[in-house]
Amino acid sequence: EDSMLAAMFSGRHNVVKDASGCYFIDSDGTYFGHILNFLRRGQLPPLDVCKHVYLEAQYFGIEPLASKLRETPPIIGESRRQHFLGQFPHYFQTVETLIKLAKETE
């Protein structure tokens, strides 16, 4: 596969090992374990961690996992949220201004 993870173990790169001989992968183990479960068994992570695992899958270039996660409700929802916010470039600034004005009138 053409991913950063595959490239790390292709022999082209020096992969760091810890004192016990285990490979060091700079990733949160909480989420990386879900990547390994997908690679081993095709198992998707629970919905409550999909966003985090999706970001890790994108970072490591594991497109089959990222593609499947894009079909889950948390990622679909985030995609729609980003699309909506993209239509209002100053959305957060406007909301902060409205909150400030509301506090001033109290």
Side-chain angles (χ1 to χ4, degrees):
E1 183 176 319
D2 189 25
S3 69
M4 182 198 306
L5 195 60
M8 287 172 66
F9 294 97
S10 68
R12 296 180 298 196
H13 303 280
N14 182 25
V15 183
V16 178
K17 293 183 183 182
D18 66 13
S20 63
C22 295
Y23 290 101
F24 175 77
I25 297 175
D26 189 14
S27 176
D28 186 329
T30 304
Y31 307 120
F32 194 75
H34 294 292
I35 290 176
L36 293 177
N37 285 338
F38 177 80
L39 294 173
R40 291 177 185 139
R41 300 179 195 93
Q43 179 181 346
L44 291 178
L47 292 178
D48 64 325
V49 296
C50 277
K51 287 182 186 179
H52 296 288
V53 176
Y54 177 68
L55 293 174
E56 292 290 304
Q58 285 184 309
Y59 176 77
F60 285 106
I62 304 170
E63 184 52 34
L65 174 56
S67 177
K68 291 219 182 259
L69 289 174
R70 277 193 288 277
E71 299 170 6
T72 63
I75 306 304
I76 291 170
E78 182 61 23
S79 174
R80 289 181 180 163
R81 179 181 167 279
Q82 292 299 325
H83 177 73
F84 170 81
L85 292 175
Q87 296 177 24
F88 304 97
H90 303 289
Y91 175 82
F92 291 107
Q93 181 182 6
T94 302
V95 169
E96 286 182 21
T97 302
L98 290 172
I99 291 170
K100 182 180 175 184
L101 290 171
K103 286 180 180 179
E104 290 174 0
T105 60
E106 289 181 345

